[in-house]
Amino acid sequence: MTYRVCFVCTGNICRSPMAEHVFRRHVEEAGLGELVEVDSAGTGGWHEGDGADSRTVSVLEENGYTSAHTARQFRASWFPALDLVIALDEGHLRELRELARTPEEAARIRLLRSYDPAAGDGLDVPDPYYGGREGFEECLEMVEAASEGLLAAVRLELEERTP
């Protein structure tokens, strides 16, 4: 049975596609590509159908990641098919919890940086959209730092599912 992870930011053109591509590579390098499905979405639909921001694409590609992407808006109806919904900041976390229709759905929502033991109290991945390239590079660093912990958590979930 496939384990499904969806990363969620505001417009699905900066942070969440970056997290999707970084985590997908971690999953594939761990040999879990057949067991874990990774995608992303936004809390809003302003960019639906668009590709990722050019700065996101540039930072991903320069660091050896794939970057193909089409933005879409998160739908509450997706919750039953998802095992984990990863919010990129507290605002997304609140919006997703409001969309959750049951306590079980709400329990599947987590902040990405909660998987980074070095993150401390600052668990938001700042929105780089209105800044320069350095914000996208910082976003990548934060996503990479949390991906190992997230991968470890997903591995545990997969092991618990195996009889």
Side-chain angles (χ1 to χ4, degrees), residues 115-132:
Y115 293 97
D116 178 1
D121 293 333
L123 297 181
D124 284 358
V125 176
D127 188 350
Y129 185 76
Y130 295 103

Side-chain angles (χ1 to χ4, degrees), residues 5-12 39-45 48 71-82 84-86 92 95-101 105 108-109:
V5 179
C6 184
F7 293 93
V8 180
C9 70
T10 306
N12 193 217
D39 65 9
S40 65
T43 56
E48 242 177 334
R72 61 196 187 131
Q73 184 174 4
F74 188 87
R75 309 274 187 243
S77 61
W78 298 356
F79 274 115
L82 296 169
L84 202 50
V85 180
I86 303 293
H92 306 131
E95 288 185 59
L96 289 163
R97 285 186 175 156
E98 288 173 12
L99 285 176
R101 298 164 298 188
E105 289 179 354
R108 295 183 201 139
I109 306 165

Side-chain angles (χ1 to χ4, degrees), residues 124-140:
D124 284 358
V125 176
D127 188 350
Y129 185 76
Y130 295 103
R133 180 182 168 82
E134 59 282 346
F136 289 81
E137 292 167 348
E138 178 185 17
C139 179
L140 179 64

Side-chain angles (χ1 to χ4, degrees), residues 15-63:
R15 293 172 284 178
S16 59
M18 189 176 286
E20 173 187 350
H21 286 278
V22 169
F23 191 64
R24 183 177 292 122
R25 185 166 87 186
H26 277 78
V27 164
E28 289 169 0
E29 288 176 351
L32 299 173
E34 297 291 319
L35 300 173
V36 180
E37 183 180 295
V38 182
D39 65 9
S40 65
T43 56
W46 315 279
H47 297 287
E48 242 177 334
D50 294 346
D53 184 284
S54 61
R55 296 164 293 180
T56 296
V57 171
S58 174
V59 167
L60 282 170
E61 290 179 353
E62 287 174 15
N63 286 277

